[in-house]
Amino acid sequence: MAQGWCLLTGRLPGWSRQACRTRLHDSLVVCGQRNGEKGQTVTMNGAHITPKKGVRSGFIKPDSELKGLLHRIYTEGNDSDESGIHGDGFSNDDTCCERVQRTLLTAPVRGIPVYVMLPLDTVWLAETEEGILSDSNQLKSVLMRENGIEVGLEMLRASGVEGVMVDVWWGIAEHQGPGLYDFSAYRRLFDKVASKGLKVQAVMSFHAAGGNVGDTCTIPLPPWVYDAAEMDPDIFYTDVDGHRNPEYISLGCDEEPCLFGRSPVQAYSDFITAFVDEFHSLMGETITEITVGLGPAGELRYPSYPEGDGRWRFPGVGQFQCFDKYMLERLQHAATEYGRPEWGHGGPHDAGHYNSREWETGFFRNDFGSFETEYGKFFLKWYSEELIQHADRILGRAKDILSQPGRPRAIQAVQEAPDGGNLYVFEPSAKLSVKLAGVHWWFKSRAHAAELTAGYYNTRERNGYSEIFKMLSKHSVGVSFTCVEMRDCEHPREGLCSPEGLLNQVLAAAAKYNVSVAGENALQRYDDYAFDKITESAFGQSAMAGRMDRLTFLRMGDMMVDNWDAFAAFIKRLTCPPDHWLNRSRP
């Protein structure tokens, strides 16, 4: 979100609407070279761009350094010592896991595809010389670091990576106005990816960037969404204290015509339709998966732990996000139908604050916590079901869009027809997926408080992921799940964390409903134990090992370049047979 954005009023304190839009615009507009002097004009993708303010990015290595590394990759090969890598991130001395004996696992028979996330600011907005600073209609989307991205893609191809994941930002591609789309920079990017023989996982990013762990830039929602919020601030999630979160539109107004006559669900559907229409020829060949963003950070959850503005710090329990008027109306309706209308006036009164520990609250405590009362069960069931229904509505629309007549198809199965012939069953050539958050703190407690406030009704006595995967299975949707690199022993005891236990539970639910799972690392790590843990999840001996169908690695940038030998050796461990990597010679 833009710095200083008022969560109560939906605007910058003391600023007019136009000034507010200008400030949001300034937080997004790129200023050419990051270290350029004020007033300097540079050229990017043929557009003359006037620098204004540096853009924080995780990918600023000079092109010459990238080209030098690419040359070394081809001349020396990637013959790193796999057993002696100690990259940046969590060093062995920083964790109790050094007491665990390492077992160097590699792919036994088959490998898993590895995708790498591109930098958040791969595509940006730029001002041309003719642009008017306060008018977003004069902005042009551009492919940032075009030469650097091209070299980076070649490095990934040479290492054996299957493809890349890229955010297609709502706030960039539809910045000009409702229904006005600009995918030109994404077209340039996807053409470059295709030329390297790589695949694309395109994320429909309907959230704002800048408030989550690892965000290296600020990307607001489209300016016209904030105009709508000026008229109706309740379109944003709201906590018990009235703080509004402009990172993602509240699911309470999913079907309300609050966006200049369109509902959010309709706006998301129109965006996906425009994207599929634009890249029709690449569907199935280059663009093999579309990930639909369903909440903050693109994840299916409520913004219950907003770290970006300082309200939450790990391992706080977070807060319920159900106090905008639309959520309250839905809660009141549900409480009335249940026969207890007095329960429809808000969330639990004894759930603490963002940074509370479980034992400091009446709702989440282990002994006689009110989460186990009739009211607690009613509220948590309603809160979690609203999230599932939100995903169901949007994914149903997305599936219909990809299944429309004339869309590219792929053979799903071949069945024997009654006459002895073959019956071909087709499916959309690009698969659908969603992201689930790895909310692993308080997992070892009875209440699983952090999961509850995030919208996952998962406790020691109740499997909160079963209903989610049942819904995903109905739409043939896969899942990308974070924290696959983490071990329980790496976290403070007071948080009762268990990323390993959470991962096993999610994989078991996915197996039950035959949902494809992609692992994703939550933090950028290049140490032995992170790589070993990911490999163990993919090929280890546990009951759930082998359920991970692919890996999405966070992310291409300077840290990856600095630890390239470690990363390349890790890719070799995951891709098998070995000739999958060896045959990727330089064209």
Side-chain angles (χ1 to χ4, degrees):
M1 72 189 70
Q3 185 179 5
W5 183 267
C6 178
L7 300 174
L8 284 168
T9 65
R11 68 161 65 178
L12 291 162
W15 290 49
S16 67
R17 184 174 74 173
Q18 182 58 43
C20 188
R21 286 190 56 166
T22 302
R23 179 66 175 271
L24 285 167
H25 158 268
D26 289 348
S27 72
L28 178 58
V29 175
V30 67
C31 312
Q33 295 176 344
R34 292 175 175 79
N35 298 317
E37 297 180 359
K38 185 176 181 180
Q40 179 184 8
T41 299
V42 296
T43 300
M44 183 179 295
N45 296 354
H48 295 291
I49 303 166
T50 302
K52 287 184 59 193
K53 178 183 176 183
V55 178
R56 294 181 294 127
S57 178
F59 191 40
I60 58 176
K61 290 284 187 184
D63 292 351
S64 57
E65 184 175 343
L66 296 177
K67 292 177 180 178
L69 178 56
L70 179 61
H71 176 74
R72 181 169 68 82
I73 290 171
Y74 282 122
T75 56
E76 299 178 10
N78 290 281
D79 299 323
S80 310
D81 180 3
E82 298 178 18
S83 62
I85 299 165
H86 300 287
D88 288 346
F90 285 45
S91 69
N92 293 342
D93 294 334
D94 292 338
T95 171
C96 65
C97 289
E98 65 179 336
R99 297 192 297 270
V100 180
Q101 182 167 351
R102 293 186 61 215
T103 302
L104 191 63
L105 294 172
T106 56
V109 177
R110 63 172 181 84
I112 61 171
V114 178
Y115 287 74
V116 172
M117 297 184 202
L118 295 186
L120 290 174
D121 58 350
T122 297
V123 171
W124 209 254
L125 290 180
E127 295 168 348
T128 64
E129 286 184 330
E130 297 78 17
I132 302 174
L133 296 184
S134 61
D135 187 350
S136 64
N137 290 323
Q138 301 298 322
L139 302 178
K140 176 183 177 63
S141 65
V142 296
L143 176 58
M144 294 288 290
R145 291 290 317 276
E146 190 162 349
N147 292 334
I149 289 292
E150 187 154 13
V151 176
L153 291 174
E154 180 63 21
M155 291 166 60
L156 295 178
R157 188 200 71 85
S159 71
V161 165
E162 188 81 9
V164 296
M165 174 181 279
V166 60
D167 291 283
V168 181
W169 294 105
W170 190 26
I172 291 179
E174 200 176 347
H175 71 276
Q176 294 180 347
L180 302 176
Y181 306 102
D182 175 15
F183 294 113
S184 57
Y186 291 103
R187 167 67 69 177
R188 294 178 66 87
L189 173 63
F190 295 163
D191 286 346
K192 289 181 181 297
V193 174
S195 71
K196 304 298 182 184
L198 297 173
K199 307 298 184 184
V200 170
Q201 290 179 329
V203 183
M204 305 291 100
S205 294
F206 297 120
H207 64 286
N212 294 286
V213 175
D215 285 358
T216 56
C217 58
T218 300
I219 303 176
L221 300 178
W224 50 270
V225 173
Y226 296 110
D227 287 345
E230 178 78 14
M231 297 179 286
D232 184 4
D234 282 282
I235 69 171
F236 289 133
Y237 284 116
T238 308
D239 65 19
V240 66
D241 297 315
H243 293 110
R244 303 194 189 279
N245 190 320
E247 184 179 354
Y248 186 81
I249 295 176
S250 169
L251 65 83
C253 57
D254 266 358
E255 298 177 295
E256 300 290 336
C258 58
L259 298 179
F260 301 100
R262 290 191 302 171
S263 69
V265 169
Q266 185 61 56
Y268 303 149
S269 300
D270 291 346
F271 187 90
I272 296 171
T273 299
F275 177 84
V276 175
D277 287 344
E278 174 69 25
F279 298 105
H280 176 90
S281 62
L282 299 180
M283 288 293 161
E285 295 295 326
T286 298
I287 302 174
T288 57
E289 187 169 318
I290 295 177
T291 300
V292 182
L294 295 170
E299 299 167 336
L300 177 60
R301 64 174 175 88
Y302 293 98
S304 58
Y305 48 98
E307 186 176 39
D309 60 13
R311 279 182 290 160
W312 175 87
R313 288 292 179 265
F314 177 87
V317 299
Q319 281 193 352
F320 293 109
Q321 306 290 311
C322 58
F323 293 89
D324 62 81
K325 71 178 184 182
Y326 296 104
M327 290 294 286
L328 289 175
E329 287 173 0
R330 299 173 78 91
L331 176 58
Q332 183 65 67
H333 178 74
T336 301
E337 281 198 337
Y338 189 78
R340 298 298 296 269
E342 67 273 18
W343 288 351
H345 301 299
H349 69 280
D350 56 350
H353 53 77
Y354 285 105
N355 295 310
S356 294
R357 303 306 191 249
E358 277 196 348
W359 58 82
E360 297 173 339
T361 75
F363 194 77
F364 301 117
R365 67 187 184 190
N366 279 334
D367 297 327
F368 307 106
S370 53
F371 77 93
E372 295 184 295
T373 64
E374 183 185 4
Y375 164 73
K377 292 176 181 179
F378 158 77
F379 175 80
L380 292 172
K381 186 173 184 290
W382 168 81
Y383 190 68
S384 62
E385 286 181 349
E386 287 291 319
L387 193 66
I388 294 173
Q389 291 167 13
H390 168 68
D392 189 37
R393 283 189 288 269
I394 298 174
L395 293 175
R397 292 286 193 96
K399 182 179 180 180
D400 289 343
I401 291 167
L402 292 179
S403 302
Q404 289 173 351
R407 302 290 191 200
R409 294 284 195 276
I411 297 176
Q412 181 187 41
V414 179
Q415 302 174 352
E416 184 176 351
D419 60 0
N422 290 330
L423 179 65
Y424 293 91
V425 180
F426 292 89
E427 64 180 355
S429 58
K431 298 184 180 300
L432 284 174
S433 66
V434 301
K435 292 187 178 185
L436 290 184
V439 186
H440 57 81
W441 52 106
W442 305 109
F443 185 86
K444 292 181 179 179
S445 69
R446 289 188 64 196
H448 294 220
E451 290 169 271
L452 297 186
T453 58
Y456 306 140
Y457 189 4
N458 191 53
T459 68
R460 188 174 294 175
E461 286 77 31
R462 186 182 193 275
N463 188 335
Y465 297 97
S466 183
E467 288 301 313
I468 295 175
F469 279 92
K470 182 178 179 181
M471 177 273 299
L472 296 176
S473 178
K474 180 180 72 172
H475 297 295
S476 302
V477 172
V479 162
S480 181
F481 186 73
T482 60
C483 77
V484 297
E485 85 284 10
M486 294 182 178
R487 298 177 187 269
D488 292 0
C489 63
E490 295 170 339
H491 296 85
R493 291 183 179 179
E494 68 160 330
L496 298 179
C497 305
S498 184
E500 293 176 280
L502 176 60
L503 176 61
N504 284 335
Q505 183 179 4
V506 166
L507 290 175
K512 179 179 179 181
Y513 291 101
N514 196 31
V515 173
S516 173
V517 176
E520 183 178 310
N521 53 316
L523 303 174
Q524 288 201 62
R525 291 177 56 180
Y526 296 87
D527 58 283
D528 292 334
Y529 290 111
F531 289 154
D532 288 350
K533 181 58 185 173
I534 295 172
T535 310
E536 177 187 327
S537 298
F539 308 119
Q541 301 301 312
S542 70
M544 287 298 104
R547 274 296 307 164
M548 199 169 74
D549 298 315
R550 60 198 182 282
L551 172 70
T552 303
F553 194 85
L554 173 73
R555 86 178 51 244
M556 188 171 85
D558 288 354
M559 187 178 291
M560 177 176 285
V561 173
D562 290 338
N563 293 275
W564 183 259
D565 288 343
F567 173 74
F570 170 62
I571 296 301
K572 289 174 68 175
R573 291 172 61 184
L574 289 182
T575 55
C576 184
D579 58 4
H580 173 78
W581 180 81
L582 295 174
N583 287 342
R584 287 198 168 206
S585 57
R586 189 174 185 176

